[in-house]
Every structure is written in C-alpha cells, then in structure tokens.
Amino acid sequence: DGGITQSPKYLFRKEGQNVTLSCEQNLNHDAMYWYRQDPGQGLRLIYYSQIVNDFQKGDIAEGYSVSREKKESFPLTVTSAQKNPTAFYLCASSTGQSNEKLFFGSGTQLSVL
Amino acid sequence: RKEVEQDPGPFNVPEGATVAFNCTYSNSASQSFFWYRQDCRKEPKLLMSVYSSGNEDGRFTAQLNRASQYISLLIRDSKLSDSATYLCVVRAPYGQNFVFGPGTRLSVLP
C-alpha cells in the first residue's frame, strides 16, 4: 500500500539534545512538507522541498533543519536551538502538479523531558 | 489579517442536524481549495476539494465564492462520526504552499 510513514509515533527530548523525526513516502511524490501543530491551533509550515536536494524554509524554520537526499525521504531534525519543541509534527507530500492535494503521515508527538 | 480564517467553534449540534462552516481567505490569487477533516491527535485527511461550480459528495456540499473570497462546507443529516475538526486549506498558483485555517470544531451530540 502506498503512503507516508512517520516514525516514531512518540518522541521525548532532553534539554540540549537534537532529535530527528523520520518521514518516508512511497507515493513517488516530488514535494514534501513538514508542519507543526500546537494544541487548538492550525498547522504551521516548517520546511518544504519541491525536489530532491532542494528545500526552503517555511514560516517557522528557526531551530529546525532538514535534508532531502532521496525522493522518498525528508527527515526533520529538531535542534537544541528550538526552545519550545513540544508539539505534534506532521509530514506531508504532494505530486507537485496543479490542483494537487496533500497527503499526510500519521504524525509524531514530541515532548520535552 | 490572517491568510485563512475560520470560526473555531465549537459547533454543538444534535444528530440529524444540518450544519455549515465558512472560511475566508485573503489572497485573491488563490487557485485551489480543500476541506480536510482532523480527528483528535490524528493526521488531517482530505474530505473534499472545492470546485468553482460547487460540488457534492454524499451528505457534504462545498461551495466557493471567489468574489467574496470564501468557501463553505455544508453537512446534512449529521452523524456522531462527523465529530471532528474541519480544516480549510487554500493554495495560491503553482509554487506556493498550502495555507491552513485554524479549523472549526464540530461535536455531534446524541
């Protein structure tokens, strides 16, 4: 079955630690996205990538980093510079065509110890 | 003004009721419009795209008003399983990203 796989489902970060969230898709989509969702709020764009080896900052990129070495993979690293990392993180992908839709992974809940 | 605005609700309606949500957007160049449904602590799932002529999918009807820059979602004969948060999503022409509204929470009561 085609889809987007995020792991882990739950992640705990110690102060000063970098953690990496995994996102893999087998939909052959060109574009991939990372969003952050805080309780009771909408989704905010962290980073996006329209093509392999290229990515752009979204609205709240500070304290995060990404890579896009393969079409299928778009990992997100939450660095120690992100002072308020507790949130629900969602990875998404789309075809890159007009009138495209977004497809989401099941999300990772990150909490600070 | 936020790019996409929605009434956060909650809308509490009895089973069988008809309920409507509106969403306004600020970018007049927006080209694609969607409604997503999100259950608590789950990923958003596409409910329906919204087309210029309006479209219907079973109990759900979506409308687009470009002149007033809003889209709407009508749910008829509400079911308990319709309880969720409904996200309005807008996209400008190719190359622009998807912009999400904050969502409208619906609770269908027995």
Side-chain angles (χ1 to χ4, degrees), chain B residues 2 5 31 56 68 104:
Chain B
K2 291 184 179 178
E5 296 192 72
Q31 293 287 345
E56 187 175 307
S68 300
T104 296

mmCIF file of all heavy atoms in Angstrom, chain B residues 2 5 31 56 68 104:
data_model
loop_
_atom_site.group_PDB
_atom_site.id
_atom_site.type_symbol
_atom_site.label_atom_id
_atom_site.label_comp_id
_atom_site.label_asym_id
_atom_site.label_seq_id
_atom_site.Cartn_x
_atom_site.Cartn_y
_atom_site.Cartn_z
ATOM 1 N N LYS B 2 -5.257 37.417 8.947
ATOM 2 C CA LYS B 2 -4.685 36.119 8.669
ATOM 3 C C LYS B 2 -5.061 35.691 7.258
ATOM 4 O O LYS B 2 -6.097 36.073 6.728
ATOM 5 C CB LYS B 2 -5.201 35.102 9.685
ATOM 6 C CG LYS B 2 -4.665 35.349 11.089
ATOM 7 C CD LYS B 2 -5.132 34.272 12.038
ATOM 8 C CE LYS B 2 -4.569 34.525 13.424
ATOM 9 N NZ LYS B 2 -5.048 33.515 14.399
ATOM 10 N N GLU B 5 -9.051 32.293 7.511
ATOM 11 C CA GLU B 5 -9.741 32.424 8.791
ATOM 12 C C GLU B 5 -10.968 31.526 8.852
ATOM 13 O O GLU B 5 -11.686 31.360 7.866
ATOM 14 C CB GLU B 5 -10.150 33.881 9.022
ATOM 15 C CG GLU B 5 -8.967 34.824 9.144
ATOM 16 C CD GLU B 5 -9.347 36.200 9.649
ATOM 17 O OE1 GLU B 5 -9.661 36.328 10.843
ATOM 18 O OE2 GLU B 5 -9.333 37.137 8.847
ATOM 19 N N GLN B 31 -5.899 29.532 -5.920
ATOM 20 C CA GLN B 31 -6.444 28.743 -7.024
ATOM 21 C C GLN B 31 -7.074 27.434 -6.571
ATOM 22 O O GLN B 31 -7.992 26.948 -7.216
ATOM 23 C CB GLN B 31 -5.333 28.423 -8.029
ATOM 24 C CG GLN B 31 -4.799 29.630 -8.775
ATOM 25 C CD GLN B 31 -5.777 30.134 -9.813
ATOM 26 O OE1 GLN B 31 -6.726 29.449 -10.180
ATOM 27 N NE2 GLN B 31 -5.582 31.350 -10.273
ATOM 28 N N GLU B 56 -20.589 18.245 -4.555
ATOM 29 C CA GLU B 56 -21.285 17.498 -3.504
ATOM 30 C C GLU B 56 -20.716 16.088 -3.430
ATOM 31 O O GLU B 56 -20.376 15.478 -4.454
ATOM 32 C CB GLU B 56 -22.778 17.455 -3.854
ATOM 33 C CG GLU B 56 -23.680 16.865 -2.785
ATOM 34 C CD GLU B 56 -25.155 16.980 -3.169
ATOM 35 O OE1 GLU B 56 -25.595 18.103 -3.486
ATOM 36 O OE2 GLU B 56 -25.837 15.950 -3.173
ATOM 37 N N SER B 68 -16.330 37.078 -3.046
ATOM 38 C CA SER B 68 -16.261 37.403 -1.617
ATOM 39 C C SER B 68 -15.126 36.685 -0.913
ATOM 40 O O SER B 68 -14.929 36.865 0.294
ATOM 41 C CB SER B 68 -17.588 37.057 -0.938
ATOM 42 O OG SER B 68 -18.651 37.790 -1.518
ATOM 43 N N THR B 104 -12.339 24.387 12.435
ATOM 44 C CA THR B 104 -13.612 24.558 13.134
ATOM 45 C C THR B 104 -13.971 23.229 13.774
ATOM 46 O O THR B 104 -14.022 22.200 13.094
ATOM 47 C CB THR B 104 -14.738 24.963 12.162
ATOM 48 O OG1 THR B 104 -14.436 26.234 11.596
ATOM 49 C CG2 THR B 104 -16.074 25.027 12.882
#
